[in-house]
């Protein structure tokens, strides 16, 4: 049976390849040398690619610090504000510290509440800001902040009207209870403002401009420090005020 000319050509081509391979690798050691050479080239290329990815670029580092580094100042200002406030309240006794601490925890729970929407706003505002859709970015930020402000307002007015809903979970001490109820009665109605501003703080991270939010946090710290010092040092003695509250 005669083979088709195309089949004969394919057969001869395969035989030529086998012969050429035998000539190229006429010794077993040659195969190992070629394999090792190719392997080294592969490792070298992977290493170059890895170094290219992990190389720290000045521009990228500055972009990260422009938002993340500056945003860290906001967390520091919040912690410092609580520290300063606790220092002032400590002059009124341990019961006052307990009452303030219980209510300050409620205030701090507004931060993760704001982050629930604010984290999404960071991406939404950043995407629209990068696409130069400034109107959409602004609308998204205001809408998210308004939603969180309403939720925080409901919480604040609830504890303002009935502080026992929160205080009964933590204390039965009458002095701590009075300080806590007084705190919620004054600060509770302002919970919406705190949550509203905190949500806009997260949204502003999408713009890359953190000057205004950080300025607001530092301003809050300065106001608390000044008014707190005046209240403790000038207005009246802590013991006298506590006695009046307990009467």
């Amino acid at each position: 049976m005669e083979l088709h000319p195309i089949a004969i050509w394919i057969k001869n081509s395969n035989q030529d390849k086998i012969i050429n391979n035998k000539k190229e690798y006429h010794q077993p050691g040659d195969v190992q040398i070629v394999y090792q050479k190719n392997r080294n080239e592969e490792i070298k290329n992977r290493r170059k690619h890895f170094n290219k990815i992990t190389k720290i670029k000045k521009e990228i580092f500055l972009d990260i610090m422009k938002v993340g580094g500056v945003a860290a100042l906001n967390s520091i200002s919040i912690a410092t504000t609580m520290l300063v406030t606790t220092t002032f309240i400590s002059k009124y006794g341990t019961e006052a510290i307990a009452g303030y601490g219980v209510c300050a925890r409620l205030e701090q729970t507004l931060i993760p509440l704001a982050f629930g929407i604010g984290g999404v706003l960071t991406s939404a505002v950043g995407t629209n800001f990068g696409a130069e859709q400034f109107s959409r970015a602004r609308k998204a930020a205001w809408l998210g902040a308004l939603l969180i402000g309403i939720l925080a307002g409901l919480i604040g007015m609830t504890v303002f009207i009935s502080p026992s809903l929160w205080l009964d979970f933590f204390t039965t001490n009458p002095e701590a209870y009075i300080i806590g109820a007084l705190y919620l009665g004054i600060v509770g109605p302002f919970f919406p403002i705190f949550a509203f501003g905190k949500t806009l703080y997260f949204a502003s991270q999408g713009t890359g401009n953190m000057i205004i939010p950080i300025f607001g946090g530092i301003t809050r710290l300065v106001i608390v420090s000044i008014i707190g010092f005046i209240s403790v040092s000038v207005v009246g003695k802590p013991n006298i005020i506590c006695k009046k509250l307990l009467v």
Side-chain angles (χ1 to χ4, degrees):
M1 178 177 174
E2 296 183 359
L3 297 175
H4 193 275
I6 296 178
I8 295 174
W9 178 78
I10 294 174
K11 181 179 180 182
N12 293 334
S13 298
N14 292 333
Q15 290 178 351
D16 291 340
K17 289 181 179 179
I18 295 173
I19 293 173
N20 291 333
N21 290 335
K22 288 181 178 180
K23 290 180 179 179
E24 184 176 357
Y25 308 115
H26 57 278
Q27 292 184 3
D30 293 340
V31 179
Q32 180 64 28
I33 292 174
V34 173
Y35 171 79
Q36 190 63 38
K37 182 179 179 180
N38 294 335
R39 181 63 177 170
N40 292 339
E41 289 293 332
E42 182 181 357
I43 294 174
K44 188 183 296 184
N45 292 333
R46 288 184 179 182
R47 187 174 297 170
K48 288 181 179 179
H49 182 66
F50 178 79
N51 292 335
K52 185 178 180 181
I53 295 176
T54 57
K55 184 179 179 180
I56 299 177
K57 295 183 179 180
K58 181 180 178 180
E59 296 79 10
I60 298 177
F61 180 77
L62 291 177
D63 287 340
I64 294 174
M65 295 304 297
K66 182 180 178 181
V67 178
V70 178
L73 296 176
N74 184 72
S75 300
I76 294 174
S77 67
I78 292 176
T80 306
T81 301
M82 294 185 64
L83 179 63
V84 171
T85 305
T86 305
T87 301
F88 291 143
I89 293 177
S90 64
K91 299 180 181 299
Y92 293 85
T94 56
E95 292 80 5
I97 295 177
Y100 165 74
V102 167
C103 299
R105 290 300 91 199
L106 177 60
E107 179 183 333
Q108 293 305 303
T109 57
L110 298 177
I111 295 179
L113 177 66
F115 180 74
I117 297 295
V120 178
L121 290 179
T122 301
S123 301
V125 171
T127 301
N128 287 284
F129 198 84
E132 297 185 356
Q133 298 291 332
F134 303 117
S135 178
R136 291 181 60 185
R138 192 178 297 110
K139 288 180 180 179
W142 285 114
L143 182 61
L146 181 61
L147 176 61
I148 294 301
I150 293 174
L151 292 176
L154 294 175
I155 297 173
M157 292 306 299
T158 300
V159 295
F160 169 77
I161 296 172
S162 182
S164 60
L165 293 176
W166 178 257
L167 295 174
D168 285 346
F169 285 112
F170 303 99
T171 183
T172 57
N173 184 289
E175 295 183 13
Y177 197 97
I178 290 175
I179 295 295
L182 181 63
Y183 178 91
L184 294 177
I186 297 174
V187 180
F190 294 95
F191 278 1
I193 299 177
F194 178 76
F196 187 88
K198 197 64 181 177
T199 306
L200 289 180
Y201 157 78
F202 289 117
S204 65
Q205 291 183 354
T207 67
N209 188 357
M210 302 294 296
I211 300 300
I212 295 178
I214 297 304
F215 178 77
I218 295 176
T219 302
R220 177 174 179 253
L221 172 60
V222 173
I223 292 175
V224 169
S225 300
I226 294 175
I227 295 181
F229 176 79
I230 294 174
S231 299
V232 173
S233 303
V234 178
V235 173
K237 297 295 182 179
N239 293 334
I240 297 175
I241 296 176
C242 287
K243 290 180 180 178
K244 289 182 179 180
L245 290 175
L246 291 173
V247 173

